[in-house]
Amino acid sequence: MRTLRGAATVERGFEDASLRIPIADIMPLKVLAPAVLKSVKYAQIAASINEVGIIEPPVVARDKKDRERFHLLDGHVRVDILAKRGDAEVVCLVATDDEAFTYNRRVSRIAIIQEHKMILKAIEKGVPEERLAKALNVNISSIRHKKALLDGICPEAAELMKDKHVPINTIGLLKQLKPVRQIEAVELMIAMNRFTFNYARSLVAATPESQLVRGRKSVRGLTDEQISLMENESAQLEREFRTIEQDYGTDHLDLVLAVGYVTRLLSNARVVRYLASNHADVLLEFQKIAELQKAA
């Protein structure tokens, strides 16, 4: 733990040194689906490891009962490839708090921005672009395009997108926006879970000129009046979104408390018998709510 002058203590996210760990002592948190094993990305990562080795170390956390065994938090594909090719050990970063990385159980780290960072790290280590292209099974122009992926993207927007599967052409559209508007656009895409080129184009079209990097935007098929209307509607939508976002925490807490209360009611056999005899429809709805909590 380290303390910043005049600030609260900050917990370290990782142990001081990386470790070379036997793969047999690393326990994955998930099983890779057959579709992942057959995917182009899996083949690209395998080719990259064979050509230039591991660039981004997997992340593990120590088992709470056996400190010499580890849970794999990030890097399931990399470790799977190493195991299948017969490697006995792998250098890993050791996280001090496994809860900080639980999101890795739900998302793939092989997103476009992660690939961009991997390419930059490889180039910093002196790996030629031609060798990287061969490792990733792509042409040299693709490597150069991905190397410059975040040129014109503000750090805050890049951070928001780091684990998202955002198409390259969508990122290209975001470069037409000034930093504050980039962040707003990415937040809207995340909230809607939509990262398509067409959705990004609609956000650009609804952006006032003052928030564009250069000049007057031109949107094929739309008049100036229609663009102005889109700008007004987009601004109204964003205001409504911010209002909902502010109320979300309180509403979610109320929901959790209500569901917990219903679940406790259903644990009482006398209450269940009474509801079954007198309010069967209410009991059915309560049971649905309780099942939703179990599923979550």
Side-chain angles (χ1 to χ4, degrees):
M1 184 187 301
R2 60 190 178 90
T3 304
L4 301 177
R5 183 177 299 177
T9 57
V10 178
E11 295 290 341
R12 290 178 303 172
F14 298 94
E15 293 183 5
D16 290 332
S18 58
L19 292 182
R20 184 174 294 277
I21 302 172
I23 291 177
D25 292 337
I26 299 175
M27 298 173 285
L29 291 177
K30 64 182 179 182
V31 176
L32 295 177
V36 173
L37 299 176
K38 296 177 182 177
S39 67
V40 173
K41 279 293 184 184
Y42 186 96
Q44 287 182 337
I45 293 170
S48 173
I49 289 174
N50 290 332
E51 188 70 24
V52 298
I54 292 287
I55 296 173
E56 186 176 1
V59 179
V60 298
R62 293 184 185 274
D63 184 79
K64 289 181 171 61
K65 295 181 180 179
D66 184 354
R67 301 284 292 174
E68 297 305 312
R69 288 181 65 78
F70 301 84
H71 296 281
L72 181 59
L73 304 177
D74 176 42
H76 286 76
V77 170
R78 280 162 277 165
V79 171
D80 185 78
I81 291 168
L82 292 174
K84 286 178 178 174
R85 76 174 194 172
D87 289 35
E89 299 177 323
V90 59
V91 174
C92 298
L93 297 176
V94 183
T96 57
D97 181 9
D98 59 346
E99 292 302 318
F101 291 87
T102 52
Y103 66 89
N104 285 307
R105 305 179 192 181
R106 299 189 293 272
V107 301
S108 170
R109 294 278 291 183
I110 315 169
I112 185 66
I113 290 180
Q114 294 298 326
E115 189 175 5
H116 159 79
K117 290 180 178 179
M118 183 191 74
I119 289 171
L120 289 185
K121 285 183 180 180
I123 291 174
E124 288 172 3
K125 291 183 177 182
V127 179
E129 291 179 350
E130 293 80 3
R131 192 178 175 193
L132 270 177
K134 181 181 176 182
L136 296 174
N137 194 28
V138 296
N139 58 47
I140 191 75
S141 62
S142 177
I143 291 294
R144 289 169 180 165
H145 190 188
K146 290 177 180 177
K147 185 174 73 171
L149 179 74
L150 297 182
D151 292 353
I153 298 292
C154 71
E156 295 82 359
E159 179 68 16
L160 289 171
M161 293 188 290
K162 69 179 182 181
D163 298 312
K164 310 299 180 185
H165 289 280
V166 184
I168 289 180
N169 53 6
T170 292
I171 294 177
L173 280 174
L174 292 175
K175 295 179 182 182
Q176 298 180 27
L177 308 176
K178 291 185 177 179
V180 173
R181 179 57 178 168
Q182 282 182 11
I183 296 169
E184 291 176 350
V186 173
E187 287 177 340
L188 284 170
M189 288 192 289
I190 292 172
M192 299 296 292
N193 194 28
R194 293 183 64 188
F195 303 95
T196 64
F197 176 79
N198 285 336
Y199 185 59
R201 185 167 61 177
S202 71
L203 292 176
V204 172
T207 299
E209 287 183 58
S210 61
Q211 297 183 47
L212 293 172
V213 171
R214 63 177 70 87
R216 176 69 180 170
K217 59 179 173 286
S218 175
V219 183
R220 187 182 301 174
L222 294 180
T223 65
D224 289 348
E225 291 74 15
Q226 289 172 323
I227 291 175
S228 178
L229 180 60
M230 287 184 65
E231 291 176 356
N232 293 334
E233 291 181 347
S234 176
Q236 178 63 28
L237 178 62
E238 288 181 34
R239 285 193 293 270
E240 293 175 358
F241 171 74
R242 301 299 178 196
T243 301
I244 293 171
E245 189 178 37
Q246 290 172 2
D247 295 337
Y248 173 79
T250 302
D251 293 343
H252 183 67
L253 176 60
D254 291 343
L255 177 62
V256 169
L257 292 174
V259 171
Y261 179 70
V262 168
T263 303
R264 287 186 61 189
L265 281 179
L266 295 182
S267 67
N268 187 313
R270 291 179 61 186
V271 171
V272 172
R273 285 197 298 271
Y274 174 81
L275 290 174
S277 299
N278 299 280
H279 303 284
D281 54 338
V282 174
L283 176 61
L284 178 62
E285 295 303 318
F286 279 3
Q287 288 171 335
K288 288 180 182 178
I289 293 172
E291 286 301 317
L292 284 175
Q293 184 190 43
K294 290 178 183 178

